[in-house]
């Protein structure tokens, strides 16, 4: 992690004792809407990014001016153990506490490739970025949450991840996220005595710019492939994550929640092949 790219800012120029949240991979996509949703609750936000510094800078200013919260920018690759630990320790030392950890970062190979066609590098990147990174971050964050006797951990999966399904052309990603389901539920059991909850949100087929949209942006749009009749948005996912992060959600742990609009995402490839 590059220390010279890590800084704190707030409109009032002083550190407030709000609840704090670290969101990994938060400069673009779903991370943007998650950050807005949590900041709207008065939660101070630590934004992690790997290469998208200009997007992170822009989001930082939006959060400060719209919600008057403190915002920390943290550059680093969470699939590297040293970066993951440094990111957690920077949040804890800067604000004195880490209340919420959102594991949003996760690489994805868009090209449809069967298992035998994956390169070793692609496999390592999928497992490292989607599963090992969760171990690194949680290992560093949990001791701080134990000391506080409270904490919220939310991971991001995919539709049906809790059933360990086969997913054509997505073998590495699916294997990593399925493992993450078990890891999330294990953390929920192990850390319950410390007031720490761990839950997973599984988005449906939300892609591209829709990841950063509000629900109001798509209410007038039709999506015949989704049973609820409209496209999904980043706000749909962010609202679910925010629910798990609530202080009043302390009785909800080990849960995997699908937010899909009823769409069968995994089997769309099968349907396409049959048409």
């Amino acid at each position: 992690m590059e220390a010279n790219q890590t800084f704190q800012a707030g409109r009032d120029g002083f550190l407030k004792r709000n609840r704090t949240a670290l969101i990994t991979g938060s400069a673009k996509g779903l991370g943007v809407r998650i950050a807005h949703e949590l900041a709207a609750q008065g939660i101070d936000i630590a934004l992690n990014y790997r290469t998208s510094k200009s997007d992170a800078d822009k989001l930082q200013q939006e959060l400060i001016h719209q919600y008057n919260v403190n915002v920390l920018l943290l550059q680093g690759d969470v699939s590297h153990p040293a970066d993951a630990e440094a990111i957690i320790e920077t949040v804890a030392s800067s604000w004195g506490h880490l209340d919420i950890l959102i594991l949003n970062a996760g690489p994805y190979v868009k090209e449809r490739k069967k298992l035998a066609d994956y390169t070793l590098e692609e496999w390592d990147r999928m497992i490292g970025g989607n599963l090992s990174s969760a171990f690194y971050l949680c290992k560093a964050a949990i001791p701080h949450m134990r000391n506080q006797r409270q904490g919220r951990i939310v991971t991001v999966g995919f539709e049906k991840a809790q059933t360990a399904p086969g997913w054509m052309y997505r073998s590495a990603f699916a294997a990593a996220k399925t493992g993450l389901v078990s890891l999330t539920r294990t953390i929920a059991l192990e850390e319950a005595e410390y007031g720490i909850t761990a839950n997973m949100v599984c988005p449906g087929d939300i892609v591209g710019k829709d990841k950063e949209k509000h629900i109001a942006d798509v209410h007038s749009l039709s999506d015949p492939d989704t049973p609820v009749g409209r496209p999904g948005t980043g706000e749909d996912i962010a609202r679910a994550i925010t629910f798990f992060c609530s202080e009043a959600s302390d009785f909800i742990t080990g849960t995997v929640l699908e937010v899909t609009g009823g769409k069968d995402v995994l089997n769309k490839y099968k349907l396409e092949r049959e048409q």
Side-chain angles (χ1 to χ4, degrees):
M1 186 178 71
E2 297 180 13
N4 63 353
Q5 291 185 329
T6 301
F7 59 94
Q8 180 182 318
R11 178 184 291 179
D12 299 330
F14 62 89
L15 183 64
K16 299 181 293 184
R17 298 297 292 179
N18 294 349
R19 295 175 76 211
T20 64
L22 167 63
I23 309 167
T24 66
S26 48
K28 295 180 179 180
L30 288 177
V32 173
R33 285 269 59 87
I34 296 167
H36 274 275
E37 196 75 19
L38 291 177
Q41 305 296 317
I43 296 170
D44 289 335
I45 306 295
L47 301 171
N48 158 248
Y49 66 96
R50 190 168 61 90
T51 58
S52 305
K53 186 177 188 303
S54 60
D55 293 303
D57 289 338
K58 178 177 178 290
L59 180 56
Q60 182 196 42
Q61 294 307 311
E62 290 176 358
L63 299 177
I64 292 170
H65 293 293
Q66 291 184 38
Y67 309 107
N68 194 26
V69 295
N70 292 291
V71 181
L72 193 65
L73 293 191
L74 297 163
Q75 188 276 336
D77 186 341
V78 294
S79 68
H80 295 165
D83 279 15
E85 181 178 2
I87 287 167
I88 294 293
E89 295 307 318
T90 300
V91 176
S93 62
S94 297
W95 286 337
H97 55 117
L98 172 60
D99 302 300
I100 299 165
L101 174 60
I102 310 294
L103 303 182
N104 173 66
Y108 183 79
V109 176
K110 293 182 179 180
E111 181 185 356
R112 297 186 188 182
K113 302 178 73 169
K114 291 184 177 181
L115 171 65
D117 298 322
Y118 272 81
T119 66
L120 294 178
E121 186 277 330
E122 287 171 330
W123 175 267
D124 288 343
R125 184 159 57 90
M126 292 297 100
I127 301 301
N130 289 290
L131 181 57
S132 296
S133 61
F135 166 69
Y136 305 144
L137 289 160
C138 290
K139 179 176 172 60
I142 285 172
H144 295 287
M145 292 181 173
R146 284 178 177 175
N147 289 336
Q148 300 162 186
R149 306 295 299 185
Q150 65 85 28
R152 299 285 180 266
I153 298 172
V154 183
T155 59
V156 177
F158 67 91
E159 179 213 5
K160 298 186 180 73
Q162 71 272 28
T163 68
W167 190 1
M168 287 188 66
Y169 313 119
R170 302 288 182 253
S171 56
F173 180 82
K177 291 295 190 181
T178 300
L180 186 58
V181 173
S182 182
L183 184 64
T184 301
R185 286 176 163 166
T186 300
I187 291 170
L189 294 171
E190 292 179 344
E191 304 304 326
E193 63 180 303
Y194 297 100
I196 300 169
T197 66
N199 296 285
M200 174 179 278
V201 173
C202 294
D205 197 16
I206 304 172
V207 299
K209 293 295 184 181
D210 286 348
K211 292 181 179 180
E212 298 185 15
K213 287 183 179 178
H214 293 279
I215 295 171
D217 296 332
V218 302
H219 256 309
S220 61
L221 302 179
S222 175
D223 182 0
D225 294 328
T226 300
V228 300
R230 69 162 174 87
T233 69
E235 186 182 358
D236 290 298
I237 308 306
R239 284 168 57 86
I241 289 174
T242 300
F243 169 72
F244 282 136
C245 294
S246 169
E247 290 182 282
S249 294
D250 61 330
F251 200 69
I252 305 169
T253 195
T255 296
V256 178
L257 175 64
E258 293 189 357
V259 184
T260 66
K263 186 173 183 178
D264 190 346
V265 179
L266 268 63
N267 286 324
K268 73 176 184 177
Y269 298 116
K270 178 181 178 182
L271 294 173
E272 289 171 359
R273 286 165 62 89
E274 293 175 347
Q275 291 174 353

